[in-house]
Amino acid sequence: MVHLKNHTRTALVYFVLAAFLGCVLRFFRVLEIPVTYKFIVHTHSHIALLGWVYMALTTLLYKLYLSKSGVDKKYNRIYWFTQLTMVGMLLTFPFQGYAFFSIVFSTLFLFASYWFSWFFYRNIPANLKSSKSIRCAMAAIFYLLISSIGPWALGAIMSILGSESVWYRLAIYFYLHFLYNGWMIMALVAIFIFILEKHRINIPTKRFNRFFWLLNIGIVLSFFLSTLFAEPSITYYIFGGVGALLQLLAFYDLLQFIMGVRKQFTVLFSRFHQNTLKLVVVLWGIKMLLQLLTAIPYFTHLTVTYLDFTIGYLHWTFLGVVTISLMLFLNRCKLLILNKGFFYLYVVGFAFTETLIFYKAITSWLSTPLFSSYYLILALASTLILVALFGLWIKNKPNTILNKT
């Protein structure tokens, strides 16, 4: 038997740990902390992206598509193997950064993701194979697999060209782009459309096909935005800009459909869920507008020169679009108790830290000084997120879940 609520709680534990490490990084500018900053950065990013997001998404995909297929034992093997890789990364990255043992465990994680991808594809129920949501889910799995080309390329690049090579950064950006914009976004879209289909809200085939291809072609082409730091020819700017524009058009297409059936959402989603969904729509729309701006050379220069713009954008995507969507869907699927107080505290912490990160980027751009207590305020704002996540974890203790579901 697969205990998906426990799996969700484990994913939340990883998120709490990632938030704690994020606070350590913030307080590094304020206090004397006896750690290697770069090692904590590596740990923070791996645990957040792979421990929280990957585990939450795979749990949701299994719940929606495979939980009635009688494959619990096979899935449990994949789950526990994945946990081995995650714990291994958690115990090695903080102490050695990228070195032999951490590379071994991160490589094993890639194999775990391949195993899950193959398992998911092989066990899709026949009655779901022609659904629109499964097309999005399979596209998400495809991007998950494609993104792994980046980590595999890093080894060869480091040994032949070194870590200062432009190809080193390109391999990392390739991985992140298809992980964020491909795997995560497409998986969330698949989950959303699955919920609609389950309640007989069907997107017309012609409209869905237009949305699907606009979004996917946009995802592929917008990778060229990640190459602009190398100052390539204008062709790359055009490809990247077209990709960002296509994603925006796909978003508009989906939004139009949602507006057309919004009366049915009052039955499908609670008022709290509707408001959360509206927040996700706003965050996703702003994300894609920011992405489109970076196709303009002037703004490309800003994001390359002032790293906080990029950091703010990545956190906007991960902590905003992706995480708030995950919280919504996990709660909607009865896998996570989403206490409103702690959820709103999380949103406040997210908004506060994003404001401060972009504020720092703007002051650097305008060559104006930061206010004197900036780093302390940013560190304290980050603790709001940690407290909120820890509170959610407490609310999701097994006995609490059993009592409330």
Side-chain angles (χ1 to χ4, degrees):
M1 182 178 179
V2 175
H3 299 283
L4 293 178
K5 291 178 182 177
N6 288 340
H7 292 190
T8 302
R9 187 166 181 263
T10 300
L12 191 56
V13 168
Y14 288 128
F15 199 11
V16 171
L17 290 173
F20 171 75
L21 293 171
C23 287
V24 170
L25 294 172
R26 297 294 189 211
F27 277 101
F28 203 85
R29 290 270 197 159
V30 181
L31 305 170
E32 289 285 338
I33 303 176
V35 296
T36 303
Y37 184 87
K38 189 175 181 180
F39 294 175
I40 302 301
V41 170
H42 294 324
T43 314
H44 169 72
S45 59
H46 280 76
I47 297 304
L49 297 178
L50 308 182
W52 160 239
V53 178
Y54 176 85
M55 293 307 306
L57 280 177
T58 52
T59 299
L60 278 166
L61 291 176
Y62 183 84
K63 163 77 174 177
L64 298 181
Y65 294 100
L66 305 181
S67 58
K68 298 179 181 178
S69 299
V71 290
D72 287 1
K73 287 185 178 180
K74 294 179 181 178
Y75 177 71
N76 269 327
R77 294 191 196 106
I78 299 172
Y79 172 79
W80 287 112
F81 178 67
T82 306
Q83 296 315 301
L84 172 67
T85 69
M86 289 306 309
V87 172
M89 284 187 277
L90 191 58
L91 296 177
T92 53
F93 270 115
F95 308 106
Q96 60 175 201
Y98 276 105
F100 177 77
F101 288 109
S102 59
I103 291 172
V104 166
F105 284 113
S106 54
T107 301
L108 288 175
F109 175 85
L110 293 180
F111 286 117
S113 68
Y114 297 158
W115 191 2
F116 175 82
S117 300
W118 174 84
F119 167 80
F120 185 82
Y121 175 77
R122 287 291 300 271
N123 292 287
I124 297 171
N127 65 312
L128 293 177
K129 286 186 177 179
S130 61
S131 69
K132 296 178 177 70
S133 69
I134 203 65
R135 285 180 62 187
C136 295
M138 290 310 302
I141 293 292
F142 171 77
Y143 290 125
L144 175 64
L145 297 175
I146 287 296
S147 71
S148 69
I149 294 173
W152 285 119
L154 279 178
I157 292 169
M158 288 185 68
S159 61
I160 298 172
L161 301 173
S163 60
E164 300 302 316
S165 165
V166 67
W167 290 100
Y168 180 85
R169 288 178 67 181
L170 282 173
I172 294 174
Y173 293 165
F174 182 93
Y175 173 65
L176 290 175
H177 173 78
F178 287 106
L179 201 68
Y180 274 86
N181 295 306
W183 154 243
M184 294 180 190
I185 295 297
M186 285 305 300
L188 291 169
V189 169
I191 293 162
F192 177 66
I193 294 178
F194 180 95
I195 294 171
L196 297 185
E197 289 177 330
K198 185 178 179 181
H199 292 81
R200 298 182 180 179
I201 301 176
N202 292 305
I203 304 175
T205 300
K206 185 177 180 180
R207 184 171 212 157
F208 172 78
N209 286 337
R210 182 172 64 243
F211 161 76
F212 182 82
W213 287 111
L214 283 173
L215 185 57
N216 281 279
I217 295 171
I219 288 169
V220 172
L221 289 180
S222 60
F223 165 68
F224 288 100
L225 295 175
S226 299
T227 71
L228 300 184
F229 73 92
E231 300 182 357
S233 69
I234 193 64
T235 304
Y236 291 78
Y237 288 85
I238 294 171
F239 281 158
V242 169
L245 182 60
L246 291 178
Q247 287 184 67
L248 201 55
L249 290 173
F251 168 78
Y252 178 72
D253 219 19
L254 182 61
L255 185 59
Q256 272 196 319
F257 172 77
I258 292 172
M259 294 301 293
V261 298
R262 63 184 180 277
K263 289 183 180 179
Q264 298 177 59
F265 275 50
T266 58
V267 177
L268 184 56
F269 294 101
S270 68
R271 175 66 65 181
F272 173 63
H273 285 163
Q274 290 178 56
N275 290 335
T276 305
L277 192 59
K278 289 175 185 176
L279 175 60
V280 170
V281 168
V282 171
L283 293 173
W284 191 20
I286 293 173
K287 170 206 176 303
M288 286 189 288
L289 286 172
L290 291 174
Q291 186 176 244
L292 182 60
L293 276 178
T294 60
I296 301 171
Y298 178 77
F299 291 102
T300 302
H301 175 74
L302 285 185
T303 58
V304 171
T305 306
Y306 307 106
L307 188 59
D308 285 294
F309 280 119
T310 301
I311 293 172
Y313 169 78
L314 291 176
H315 282 78
W316 185 277
T317 303
F318 169 67
L319 293 177
V321 179
V322 174
T323 288
I324 294 175
S325 297
L326 281 173
M327 289 179 175
L328 166 63
F329 293 143
L330 288 167
N331 183 245
R332 177 66 177 70
C333 295
K334 300 187 184 301
L335 294 174
L336 177 76
I337 295 171
L338 194 54
N339 175 271
K340 291 182 182 179
F342 288 121
F343 174 75
Y344 291 138
L345 181 62
Y346 173 85
V347 173
V348 169
F350 162 71
F352 201 1
T353 54
E354 283 296 289
T355 300
L356 289 169
I357 291 169
F358 280 111
Y359 161 76
K360 182 173 181 289
I362 292 170
T363 58
S364 299
W365 168 35
L366 300 178
S367 299
T368 56
L370 293 169
F371 59 87
S372 58
S373 57
Y374 170 81
Y375 290 107
L376 176 61
I377 298 298
L378 178 59
L380 293 174
S382 298
T383 62
L384 294 179
I385 294 176
L386 176 60
V387 170
L389 294 176
F390 185 75
L392 286 176
W393 177 73
I394 293 295
K395 288 291 184 180
N396 282 272
K397 283 183 178 180
N399 59 331
T400 308
I401 294 175
L402 290 172
N403 289 335
K404 294 193 177 183
T405 59

